[in-house]
Amino acid sequence: MAEQVAVVILAAGQGTRMKSSLPKVLHRIGGRSLIAHVLDAASGLEPAQIVAVVRHERERVAAAILDHAPDTTIVDQDEIPGTGRAVEQALAALPSDFDGSVVVLSGDAPLIDTATLEGLVNGHLSEGRSMTLLSAVFDNPTGLGRILRDPSGSVLGIVEDKDADETQRRITEINGGIYVFARRALEAALAAIDTNNAQGEKYLTDAAARILSSGGAVDAVATDDPWTIAGVNDRAQLAEAGRELNARIVRAHQRAGVTIQDPATTWIDADVSIEPDVEVLPGTFLQGATSIASGAVVGPDTTLIDCEVGADARIRRSEATLAVFSAGVDVGPFAYIRPGTELGAGGKIGAFVETKNAQIGDGSKVPHLSYVGDATIGTGSNIGAGTIVANYDGVKKHQAVVGDGVRIGSKNVLISPVTIEDGTYTAAGTVVRKDVPAGSLALNVAPQRNIEGWVAENRPGTSTAEAAQRAAERKK
Ligand code: UD1
Ligand code: CA
């Protein structure tokens, strides 16, 4: 259908009810702005052109649109208000010889999908109509345009809520705000529409009666899935749309072979990719461009932002951003993994460990209570509990290099820049200030001195002294 379809996306409105300094269509669900979801549904049609109409916060909205879909044509709406005016100005941006169908979408209705649009366009073309719109039957249609039909069911027009009389207000079939038009018929209709109505706006919806009166065919096709037309007007609706989108994303992954225990507490962004036989446990947030390979188990209570997770990895109760986990790694619980962390195959980042810009080789382990920042660790090395890489001298960040097969003792401080070569040991409590050559043991803790009888002399009568006394008696 590529060459005969153009898409117009309306995004000029103010979105007052969001009560936000952020333009409405830039609010996000599923990790993307509302308008990005609409752009994606539109580009799935492979249209000849997408035109977005902007006005309120035009710079920010236009920038976001072009960032997501650089080929979009941006059109500025003038001071004449209304959806009809917005579309009229969009049509002027199409090539004058474009004679095909024009799909009109709202930038604030993010759950529309390509398949629904394809169905709408196909029906529109096969029935030879000049206008086809998506409608829905709502128990509470308040605020929405109503579809007027004659007793035989033929569409007569659309009346806006604010312009409707008592009888019309009782109509439950509403205008979903998603349309297909024949370009020429729409252009002619818009030229004749005025702003003579309750809101003083040029209504796109008036095109229905106009097209009918000039002999064009118009129909409304009711959707059985009201979410496809759901508009976001306030933050409550934003959350509802976000929850519904998430439910759909979760279901799609489940159907593709991913085990997701608790859809209600699992939040997966639209761009996340998950292979079959991954298991996602409750309380997990998978965000951005995260990808997870087969056999991995993620969660519970884990957030991964732009991470790559290898096959059979295990990540629990942890947070990671821009990290690469190779196959079979073991992460958490309670790891805080910051950008630039790479954990090699079979490696481990354990409890209460923070990493940043750390390349940790295959089979290497940072199991307990550590900070590893700006460091490279080779393969098969172990970092003792409580070890800190002191990468910052108060002015600059420095790099630590730990080789292969290294055993860093517990509670070391590695003062960067420092290099600890392959096959070395460092003793517990070492403050490593100098490079350690391959094969050595590094130690710099002062020799221990035991002052016998110190407790009895200096802490008499304490529970410690009593314990010492009992020990002394046992030895007798
Ligand atoms: C519109 C329809 C209504 C339908 C409802 C479905 C009209 C006159 N009414 O009403 O029949 O039931 O959608 O959600 O079309 N916009 C512009 N320029 C403008 C005004 C609006 O670009 O001058 C954009 C808005 O940013 C929004 C979309 O058009 O994305 C719809 O506008 P909105 O004001 O929300 O229309 P509704 O009153 O909801
Ligand atoms: Ca609306």
Side-chain angles (χ1 to χ4, degrees), residues 44-80:
L45 285 176
E46 298 179 5
Q49 195 173 350
I50 299 177
V51 181
V53 185
V54 299
R55 180 173 167 88
H56 174 73
E57 290 265 22
R58 94 60 85 199
E59 294 305 328
R60 284 172 86 183
V61 176
I65 291 169
L66 292 174
D67 186 52
H68 190 79
D71 293 337
T72 308
T73 306
I74 304 291
V75 164
D76 290 281
Q77 187 172 352
D78 61 17
E79 61 291 337
I80 300 172

PDB file of all heavy atoms in Angstrom, residues 44-80:
ATOM      1  N   GLY A  44       4.805   1.693  10.333  1.00  0.00           N
ATOM      2  CA  GLY A  44       4.512   0.308   9.961  1.00  0.00           C
ATOM      3  C   GLY A  44       3.695   0.200   8.687  1.00  0.00           C
ATOM      4  O   GLY A  44       3.738  -0.815   7.999  1.00  0.00           O
ATOM      5  N   LEU A  45       2.962   1.244   8.357  1.00  0.00           N
ATOM      6  CA  LEU A  45       2.179   1.274   7.108  1.00  0.00           C
ATOM      7  C   LEU A  45       3.059   1.528   5.889  1.00  0.00           C
ATOM      8  O   LEU A  45       2.586   1.472   4.758  1.00  0.00           O
ATOM      9  CB  LEU A  45       1.129   2.393   7.162  1.00  0.00           C
ATOM     10  CG  LEU A  45      -0.123   2.201   8.012  1.00  0.00           C
ATOM     11  CD1 LEU A  45      -0.956   3.488   7.979  1.00  0.00           C
ATOM     12  CD2 LEU A  45      -0.956   1.036   7.502  1.00  0.00           C
ATOM     13  N   GLU A  46       4.310   1.858   6.132  1.00  0.00           N
ATOM     14  CA  GLU A  46       5.239   2.274   5.085  1.00  0.00           C
ATOM     15  C   GLU A  46       4.616   3.333   4.175  1.00  0.00           C
ATOM     16  O   GLU A  46       4.534   3.178   2.948  1.00  0.00           O
ATOM     17  CB  GLU A  46       5.704   1.055   4.280  1.00  0.00           C
ATOM     18  CG  GLU A  46       6.454   0.077   5.165  1.00  0.00           C
ATOM     19  CD  GLU A  46       6.918  -1.162   4.431  1.00  0.00           C
ATOM     20  OE1 GLU A  46       6.740  -1.240   3.197  1.00  0.00           O
ATOM     21  OE2 GLU A  46       7.465  -2.053   5.103  1.00  0.00           O
ATOM     22  N   PRO A  47       4.177   4.426   4.773  1.00  0.00           N
ATOM     23  CA  PRO A  47       3.497   5.456   3.989  1.00  0.00           C
ATOM     24  C   PRO A  47       4.489   6.260   3.149  1.00  0.00           C
ATOM     25  O   PRO A  47       5.687   6.263   3.424  1.00  0.00           O
ATOM     26  CB  PRO A  47       2.868   6.354   5.061  1.00  0.00           C
ATOM     27  CG  PRO A  47       3.761   6.213   6.243  1.00  0.00           C
ATOM     28  CD  PRO A  47       4.321   4.803   6.194  1.00  0.00           C
ATOM     29  N   ALA A  48       3.956   6.913   2.142  1.00  0.00           N
ATOM     30  CA  ALA A  48       4.788   7.761   1.288  1.00  0.00           C
ATOM     31  C   ALA A  48       5.332   8.935   2.103  1.00  0.00           C
ATOM     32  O   ALA A  48       6.436   9.423   1.857  1.00  0.00           O
ATOM     33  CB  ALA A  48       3.961   8.276   0.111  1.00  0.00           C
ATOM     34  N   GLN A  49       4.572   9.388   3.079  1.00  0.00           N
ATOM     35  CA  GLN A  49       4.988  10.552   3.862  1.00  0.00           C
ATOM     36  C   GLN A  49       4.256  10.545   5.203  1.00  0.00           C
ATOM     37  O   GLN A  49       3.096  10.114   5.281  1.00  0.00           O
ATOM     38  CB  GLN A  49       4.621  11.835   3.096  1.00  0.00           C
ATOM     39  CG  GLN A  49       5.304  13.084   3.613  1.00  0.00           C
ATOM     40  CD  GLN A  49       5.040  14.290   2.695  1.00  0.00           C
ATOM     41  OE1 GLN A  49       4.509  14.145   1.596  1.00  0.00           O
ATOM     42  NE2 GLN A  49       5.409  15.466   3.174  1.00  0.00           N
ATOM     43  N   ILE A  50       4.945  11.000   6.255  1.00  0.00           N
ATOM     44  CA  ILE A  50       4.287  11.241   7.542  1.00  0.00           C
ATOM     45  C   ILE A  50       4.413  12.728   7.832  1.00  0.00           C
ATOM     46  O   ILE A  50       5.513  13.293   7.770  1.00  0.00           O
ATOM     47  CB  ILE A  50       4.924  10.425   8.687  1.00  0.00           C
ATOM     48  CG1 ILE A  50       4.801   8.920   8.412  1.00  0.00           C
ATOM     49  CG2 ILE A  50       4.276  10.781  10.027  1.00  0.00           C
ATOM     50  CD1 ILE A  50       5.464   8.032   9.464  1.00  0.00           C
ATOM     51  N   VAL A  51       3.294  13.364   8.111  1.00  0.00           N
ATOM     52  CA  VAL A  51       3.287  14.791   8.427  1.00  0.00           C
ATOM     53  C   VAL A  51       2.812  14.941   9.875  1.00  0.00           C
ATOM     54  O   VAL A  51       1.772  14.396  10.244  1.00  0.00           O
ATOM     55  CB  VAL A  51       2.321  15.568   7.505  1.00  0.00           C
ATOM     56  CG1 VAL A  51       2.349  17.067   7.826  1.00  0.00           C
ATOM     57  CG2 VAL A  51       2.663  15.319   6.039  1.00  0.00           C
ATOM     58  N   ALA A  52       3.582  15.649  10.694  1.00  0.00           N
ATOM     59  CA  ALA A  52       3.158  15.905  12.076  1.00  0.00           C
ATOM     60  C   ALA A  52       2.863  17.393  12.218  1.00  0.00           C
ATOM     61  O   ALA A  52       3.646  18.231  11.786  1.00  0.00           O
ATOM     62  CB  ALA A  52       4.251  15.487  13.049  1.00  0.00           C
ATOM     63  N   VAL A  53       1.708  17.703  12.819  1.00  0.00           N
ATOM     64  CA  VAL A  53       1.300  19.099  12.986  1.00  0.00           C
ATOM     65  C   VAL A  53       1.601  19.522  14.425  1.00  0.00           C
ATOM     66  O   VAL A  53       1.169  18.856  15.378  1.00  0.00           O
ATOM     67  CB  VAL A  53      -0.199  19.281  12.693  1.00  0.00           C
ATOM     68  CG1 VAL A  53      -0.578  20.760  12.740  1.00  0.00           C
ATOM     69  CG2 VAL A  53      -0.550  18.686  11.333  1.00  0.00           C
ATOM     70  N   VAL A  54       2.353  20.595  14.578  1.00  0.00           N
ATOM     71  CA  VAL A  54       2.765  21.060  15.903  1.00  0.00           C
ATOM     72  C   VAL A  54       2.394  22.536  16.090  1.00  0.00           C
ATOM     73  O   VAL A  54       2.156  23.259  15.117  1.00  0.00           O
ATOM     74  CB  VAL A  54       4.293  20.885  16.104  1.00  0.00           C
ATOM     75  CG1 VAL A  54       4.683  19.420  15.993  1.00  0.00           C
ATOM     76  CG2 VAL A  54       5.079  21.716  15.099  1.00  0.00           C
ATOM     77  N   ARG A  55       2.339  22.950  17.343  1.00  0.00           N
ATOM     78  CA  ARG A  55       2.140  24.362  17.654  1.00  0.00           C
ATOM     79  C   ARG A  55       2.577  24.629  19.096  1.00  0.00           C
ATOM     80  O   ARG A  55       3.554  25.326  19.322  1.00  0.00           O
ATOM     81  CB  ARG A  55       0.679  24.782  17.450  1.00  0.00           C
ATOM     82  CG  ARG A  55       0.440  26.254  17.774  1.00  0.00           C
ATOM     83  CD  ARG A  55      -0.981  26.688  17.403  1.00  0.00           C
ATOM     84  NE  ARG A  55      -1.313  27.990  17.968  1.00  0.00           N
ATOM     85  CZ  ARG A  55      -1.072  29.156  17.391  1.00  0.00           C
ATOM     86  NH1 ARG A  55      -0.468  29.208  16.207  1.00  0.00           N
ATOM     87  NH2 ARG A  55      -1.410  30.283  17.983  1.00  0.00           N
ATOM     88  N   HIS A  56       1.872  23.999  20.077  1.00  0.00           N
ATOM     89  CA  HIS A  56       2.251  24.196  21.472  1.00  0.00           C
ATOM     90  C   HIS A  56       3.643  23.586  21.696  1.00  0.00           C
ATOM     91  O   HIS A  56       3.897  22.463  21.292  1.00  0.00           O
ATOM     92  CB  HIS A  56       1.213  23.520  22.385  1.00  0.00           C
ATOM     93  CG  HIS A  56       1.590  23.547  23.828  1.00  0.00           C
ATOM     94  ND1 HIS A  56       1.538  24.714  24.572  1.00  0.00           N
ATOM     95  CD2 HIS A  56       2.050  22.583  24.649  1.00  0.00           C
ATOM     96  CE1 HIS A  56       1.936  24.450  25.806  1.00  0.00           C
ATOM     97  NE2 HIS A  56       2.255  23.167  25.885  1.00  0.00           N
ATOM     98  N   GLU A  57       4.565  24.349  22.318  1.00  0.00           N
ATOM     99  CA  GLU A  57       5.948  23.885  22.565  1.00  0.00           C
ATOM    100  C   GLU A  57       6.556  23.312  21.287  1.00  0.00           C
ATOM    101  O   GLU A  57       7.179  22.247  21.308  1.00  0.00           O
ATOM    102  CB  GLU A  57       5.940  22.830  23.672  1.00  0.00           C
ATOM    103  CG  GLU A  57       5.632  23.393  25.034  1.00  0.00           C
ATOM    104  CD  GLU A  57       6.899  23.710  25.827  1.00  0.00           C
ATOM    105  OE1 GLU A  57       7.986  23.898  25.208  1.00  0.00           O
ATOM    106  OE2 GLU A  57       6.795  23.788  27.053  1.00  0.00           O
ATOM    107  N   ARG A  58       6.384  24.015  20.202  1.00  0.00           N
ATOM    108  CA  ARG A  58       6.699  23.459  18.893  1.00  0.00           C
ATOM    109  C   ARG A  58       8.140  22.973  18.774  1.00  0.00           C
ATOM    110  O   ARG A  58       8.387  21.918  18.193  1.00  0.00           O
ATOM    111  CB  ARG A  58       6.252  24.385  17.803  1.00  0.00           C
ATOM    112  CG  ARG A  58       6.983  25.425  17.076  1.00  0.00           C
ATOM    113  CD  ARG A  58       8.170  25.149  16.287  1.00  0.00           C
ATOM    114  NE  ARG A  58       7.952  24.707  14.918  1.00  0.00           N
ATOM    115  CZ  ARG A  58       8.906  24.085  14.226  1.00  0.00           C
ATOM    116  NH1 ARG A  58      10.081  23.813  14.767  1.00  0.00           N
ATOM    117  NH2 ARG A  58       8.692  23.726  12.998  1.00  0.00           N
ATOM    118  N   GLU A  59       9.115  23.689  19.368  1.00  0.00           N
ATOM    119  CA  GLU A  59      10.521  23.284  19.224  1.00  0.00           C
ATOM    120  C   GLU A  59      10.780  21.919  19.858  1.00  0.00           C
ATOM    121  O   GLU A  59      11.396  21.043  19.252  1.00  0.00           O
ATOM    122  CB  GLU A  59      11.465  24.319  19.856  1.00  0.00           C
ATOM    123  CG  GLU A  59      11.474  25.682  19.154  1.00  0.00           C
ATOM    124  CD  GLU A  59      11.800  25.578  17.665  1.00  0.00           C
ATOM    125  OE1 GLU A  59      12.563  24.678  17.266  1.00  0.00           O
ATOM    126  OE2 GLU A  59      11.255  26.407  16.892  1.00  0.00           O
ATOM    127  N   ARG A  60      10.288  21.752  21.073  1.00  0.00           N
ATOM    128  CA  ARG A  60      10.545  20.491  21.781  1.00  0.00           C
ATOM    129  C   ARG A  60       9.823  19.326  21.110  1.00  0.00           C
ATOM    130  O   ARG A  60      10.373  18.236  20.976  1.00  0.00           O
ATOM    131  CB  ARG A  60      10.073  20.579  23.233  1.00  0.00           C
ATOM    132  CG  ARG A  60      11.009  21.393  24.089  1.00  0.00           C
ATOM    133  CD  ARG A  60      10.399  21.611  25.460  1.00  0.00           C
ATOM    134  NE  ARG A  60      10.680  20.503  26.374  1.00  0.00           N
ATOM    135  CZ  ARG A  60      10.200  20.440  27.606  1.00  0.00           C
ATOM    136  NH1 ARG A  60       9.393  21.388  28.052  1.00  0.00           N
ATOM    137  NH2 ARG A  60      10.511  19.436  28.394  1.00  0.00           N
ATOM    138  N   VAL A  61       8.579  19.581  20.716  1.00  0.00           N
ATOM    139  CA  VAL A  61       7.808  18.500  20.109  1.00  0.00           C
ATOM    140  C   VAL A  61       8.422  18.114  18.755  1.00  0.00           C
ATOM    141  O   VAL A  61       8.637  16.929  18.472  1.00  0.00           O
ATOM    142  CB  VAL A  61       6.325  18.904  19.973  1.00  0.00           C
ATOM    143  CG1 VAL A  61       5.541  17.819  19.241  1.00  0.00           C
ATOM    144  CG2 VAL A  61       5.714  19.151  21.351  1.00  0.00           C
ATOM    145  N   ALA A  62       8.759  19.126  17.952  1.00  0.00           N
ATOM    146  CA  ALA A  62       9.345  18.840  16.634  1.00  0.00           C
ATOM    147  C   ALA A  62      10.671  18.104  16.792  1.00  0.00           C
ATOM    148  O   ALA A  62      10.949  17.138  16.068  1.00  0.00           O
ATOM    149  CB  ALA A  62       9.541  20.144  15.857  1.00  0.00           C
ATOM    150  N   ALA A  63      11.489  18.530  17.750  1.00  0.00           N
ATOM    151  CA  ALA A  63      12.792  17.883  17.949  1.00  0.00           C
ATOM    152  C   ALA A  63      12.603  16.408  18.331  1.00  0.00           C
ATOM    153  O   ALA A  63      13.316  15.529  17.829  1.00  0.00           O
ATOM    154  CB  ALA A  63      13.594  18.615  19.021  1.00  0.00           C
ATOM    155  N   ALA A  64      11.640  16.146  19.213  1.00  0.00           N
ATOM    156  CA  ALA A  64      11.410  14.758  19.639  1.00  0.00           C
ATOM    157  C   ALA A  64      10.920  13.909  18.466  1.00  0.00           C
ATOM    158  O   ALA A  64      11.322  12.754  18.303  1.00  0.00           O
ATOM    159  CB  ALA A  64      10.413  14.713  20.787  1.00  0.00           C
ATOM    160  N   ILE A  65      10.058  14.478  17.652  1.00  0.00           N
ATOM    161  CA  ILE A  65       9.536  13.747  16.493  1.00  0.00           C
ATOM    162  C   ILE A  65      10.672  13.423  15.524  1.00  0.00           C
ATOM    163  O   ILE A  65      10.834  12.279  15.082  1.00  0.00           O
ATOM    164  CB  ILE A  65       8.439  14.571  15.786  1.00  0.00           C
ATOM    165  CG1 ILE A  65       7.187  14.647  16.674  1.00  0.00           C
ATOM    166  CG2 ILE A  65       8.111  13.977  14.415  1.00  0.00           C
ATOM    167  CD1 ILE A  65       6.146  15.642  16.196  1.00  0.00           C
ATOM    168  N   LEU A  66      11.493  14.424  15.225  1.00  0.00           N
ATOM    169  CA  LEU A  66      12.565  14.208  14.246  1.00  0.00           C
ATOM    170  C   LEU A  66      13.645  13.283  14.797  1.00  0.00           C
ATOM    171  O   LEU A  66      14.289  12.546  14.049  1.00  0.00           O
ATOM    172  CB  LEU A  66      13.161  15.553  13.827  1.00  0.00           C
ATOM    173  CG  LEU A  66      12.181  16.410  13.015  1.00  0.00           C
ATOM    174  CD1 LEU A  66      12.766  17.793  12.756  1.00  0.00           C
ATOM    175  CD2 LEU A  66      11.813  15.726  11.693  1.00  0.00           C
ATOM    176  N   ASP A  67      13.816  13.313  16.108  1.00  0.00           N
ATOM    177  CA  ASP A  67      14.777  12.417  16.732  1.00  0.00           C
ATOM    178  C   ASP A  67      14.331  10.967  16.545  1.00  0.00           C
ATOM    179  O   ASP A  67      15.142  10.081  16.276  1.00  0.00           O
ATOM    180  CB  ASP A  67      14.887  12.759  18.222  1.00  0.00           C
ATOM    181  CG  ASP A  67      15.974  11.947  18.895  1.00  0.00           C
ATOM    182  OD1 ASP A  67      17.099  11.966  18.377  1.00  0.00           O
ATOM    183  OD2 ASP A  67      15.681  11.286  19.917  1.00  0.00           O
ATOM    184  N   HIS A  68      13.055  10.727  16.670  1.00  0.00           N
ATOM    185  CA  HIS A  68      12.547   9.356  16.562  1.00  0.00           C
ATOM    186  C   HIS A  68      12.329   8.938  15.113  1.00  0.00           C
ATOM    187  O   HIS A  68      12.557   7.777  14.755  1.00  0.00           O
ATOM    188  CB  HIS A  68      11.237   9.226  17.353  1.00  0.00           C
ATOM    189  CG  HIS A  68      10.776   7.806  17.497  1.00  0.00           C
ATOM    190  ND1 HIS A  68      11.332   6.949  18.426  1.00  0.00           N
ATOM    191  CD2 HIS A  68       9.857   7.083  16.822  1.00  0.00           C
ATOM    192  CE1 HIS A  68      10.763   5.763  18.318  1.00  0.00           C
ATOM    193  NE2 HIS A  68       9.865   5.813  17.361  1.00  0.00           N
ATOM    194  N   ALA A  69      11.841   9.858  14.300  1.00  0.00           N
ATOM    195  CA  ALA A  69      11.516   9.534  12.905  1.00  0.00           C
ATOM    196  C   ALA A  69      11.966  10.702  12.023  1.00  0.00           C
ATOM    197  O   ALA A  69      11.180  11.594  11.700  1.00  0.00           O
ATOM    198  CB  ALA A  69      10.014   9.298  12.762  1.00  0.00           C
ATOM    199  N   PRO A  70      13.241  10.690  11.639  1.00  0.00           N
ATOM    200  CA  PRO A  70      13.853  11.854  10.967  1.00  0.00           C
ATOM    201  C   PRO A  70      13.198  12.241   9.641  1.00  0.00           C
ATOM    202  O   PRO A  70      13.337  13.391   9.217  1.00  0.00           O
ATOM    203  CB  PRO A  70      15.302  11.411  10.729  1.00  0.00           C
ATOM    204  CG  PRO A  70      15.530  10.272  11.660  1.00  0.00           C
ATOM    205  CD  PRO A  70      14.203   9.617  11.878  1.00  0.00           C
ATOM    206  N   ASP A  71      12.486  11.329   9.005  1.00  0.00           N
ATOM    207  CA  ASP A  71      11.883  11.658   7.710  1.00  0.00           C
ATOM    208  C   ASP A  71      10.539  12.360   7.831  1.00  0.00           C
ATOM    209  O   ASP A  71       9.920  12.702   6.815  1.00  0.00           O
ATOM    210  CB  ASP A  71      11.687  10.384   6.869  1.00  0.00           C
ATOM    211  CG  ASP A  71      13.024   9.780   6.466  1.00  0.00           C
ATOM    212  OD1 ASP A  71      14.021  10.537   6.435  1.00  0.00           O
ATOM    213  OD2 ASP A  71      13.070   8.561   6.200  1.00  0.00           O
ATOM    214  N   THR A  72      10.080  12.580   9.057  1.00  0.00           N
ATOM    215  CA  THR A  72       8.770  13.201   9.250  1.00  0.00           C
ATOM    216  C   THR A  72       8.779  14.647   8.763  1.00  0.00           C
ATOM    217  O   THR A  72       9.749  15.380   8.956  1.00  0.00           O
ATOM    218  CB  THR A  72       8.394  13.165  10.743  1.00  0.00           C
ATOM    219  OG1 THR A  72       8.534  11.828  11.204  1.00  0.00           O
ATOM    220  CG2 THR A  72       6.981  13.662  10.980  1.00  0.00           C
ATOM    221  N   THR A  73       7.693  15.052   8.120  1.00  0.00           N
ATOM    222  CA  THR A  73       7.526  16.454   7.726  1.00  0.00           C
ATOM    223  C   THR A  73       6.836  17.187   8.881  1.00  0.00           C
ATOM    224  O   THR A  73       5.774  16.765   9.334  1.00  0.00           O
ATOM    225  CB  THR A  73       6.616  16.555   6.479  1.00  0.00           C
ATOM    226  OG1 THR A  73       7.153  15.708   5.457  1.00  0.00           O
ATOM    227  CG2 THR A  73       6.509  17.997   5.983  1.00  0.00           C
ATOM    228  N   ILE A  74       7.442  18.250   9.370  1.00  0.00           N
ATOM    229  CA  ILE A  74       6.848  19.027  10.461  1.00  0.00           C
ATOM    230  C   ILE A  74       6.080  20.205   9.856  1.00  0.00           C
ATOM    231  O   ILE A  74       6.611  20.944   9.028  1.00  0.00           O
ATOM    232  CB  ILE A  74       7.932  19.567  11.414  1.00  0.00           C
ATOM    233  CG1 ILE A  74       8.805  18.434  11.958  1.00  0.00           C
ATOM    234  CG2 ILE A  74       7.291  20.388  12.542  1.00  0.00           C
ATOM    235  CD1 ILE A  74       8.117  17.493  12.919  1.00  0.00           C
ATOM    236  N   VAL A  75       4.835  20.351  10.271  1.00  0.00           N
ATOM    237  CA  VAL A  75       4.005  21.466   9.799  1.00  0.00           C
ATOM    238  C   VAL A  75       3.541  22.261  11.016  1.00  0.00           C
ATOM    239  O   VAL A  75       3.127  21.685  12.015  1.00  0.00           O
ATOM    240  CB  VAL A  75       2.795  20.924   8.995  1.00  0.00           C
ATOM    241  CG1 VAL A  75       1.725  21.997   8.820  1.00  0.00           C
ATOM    242  CG2 VAL A  75       3.246  20.409   7.646  1.00  0.00           C
ATOM    243  N   ASP A  76       3.626  23.571  10.938  1.00  0.00           N
ATOM    244  CA  ASP A  76       3.166  24.425  12.033  1.00  0.00           C
ATOM    245  C   ASP A  76       1.723  24.842  11.808  1.00  0.00           C
ATOM    246  O   ASP A  76       1.376  25.351  10.741  1.00  0.00           O
ATOM    247  CB  ASP A  76       4.054  25.674  12.120  1.00  0.00           C
ATOM    248  CG  ASP A  76       5.431  25.310  12.623  1.00  0.00           C
ATOM    249  OD1 ASP A  76       5.569  25.130  13.846  1.00  0.00           O
ATOM    250  OD2 ASP A  76       6.356  25.173  11.791  1.00  0.00           O
ATOM    251  N   GLN A  77       0.913  24.634  12.830  1.00  0.00           N
ATOM    252  CA  GLN A  77      -0.481  25.094  12.747  1.00  0.00           C
ATOM    253  C   GLN A  77      -0.523  26.588  13.059  1.00  0.00           C
ATOM    254  O   GLN A  77       0.164  27.068  13.962  1.00  0.00           O
ATOM    255  CB  GLN A  77      -1.362  24.324  13.740  1.00  0.00           C
ATOM    256  CG  GLN A  77      -2.849  24.647  13.568  1.00  0.00           C
ATOM    257  CD  GLN A  77      -3.745  23.740  14.409  1.00  0.00           C
ATOM    258  OE1 GLN A  77      -3.277  22.780  15.000  1.00  0.00           O
ATOM    259  NE2 GLN A  77      -5.022  24.077  14.449  1.00  0.00           N
ATOM    260  N   ASP A  78      -1.354  27.312  12.319  1.00  0.00           N
ATOM    261  CA  ASP A  78      -1.492  28.755  12.580  1.00  0.00           C
ATOM    262  C   ASP A  78      -2.466  28.984  13.729  1.00  0.00           C
ATOM    263  O   ASP A  78      -2.812  28.060  14.462  1.00  0.00           O
ATOM    264  CB  ASP A  78      -1.897  29.499  11.300  1.00  0.00           C
ATOM    265  CG  ASP A  78      -3.245  29.028  10.763  1.00  0.00           C
ATOM    266  OD1 ASP A  78      -4.012  28.378  11.504  1.00  0.00           O
ATOM    267  OD2 ASP A  78      -3.532  29.299   9.569  1.00  0.00           O
ATOM    268  N   GLU A  79      -2.926  30.244  13.859  1.00  0.00           N
ATOM    269  CA  GLU A  79      -3.729  30.579  15.044  1.00  0.00           C
ATOM    270  C   GLU A  79      -5.185  30.120  14.935  1.00  0.00           C
ATOM    271  O   GLU A  79      -5.937  30.207  15.898  1.00  0.00           O
ATOM    272  CB  GLU A  79      -3.650  32.086  15.369  1.00  0.00           C
ATOM    273  CG  GLU A  79      -4.161  33.022  14.300  1.00  0.00           C
ATOM    274  CD  GLU A  79      -3.284  33.049  13.038  1.00  0.00           C
ATOM    275  OE1 GLU A  79      -2.090  32.703  13.095  1.00  0.00           O
ATOM    276  OE2 GLU A  79      -3.833  33.416  11.972  1.00  0.00           O
ATOM    277  N   ILE A  80      -5.568  29.594  13.776  1.00  0.00           N
ATOM    278  CA  ILE A  80      -6.938  29.072  13.672  1.00  0.00           C
ATOM    279  C   ILE A  80      -6.976  27.717  14.385  1.00  0.00           C
ATOM    280  O   ILE A  80      -6.233  26.813  14.031  1.00  0.00           O
ATOM    281  CB  ILE A  80      -7.372  28.916  12.199  1.00  0.00           C
ATOM    282  CG1 ILE A  80      -7.313  30.283  11.511  1.00  0.00           C
ATOM    283  CG2 ILE A  80      -8.777  28.306  12.099  1.00  0.00           C
ATOM    284  CD1 ILE A  80      -7.541  30.234  10.009  1.00  0.00           C
TER     285      ILE A  80
END
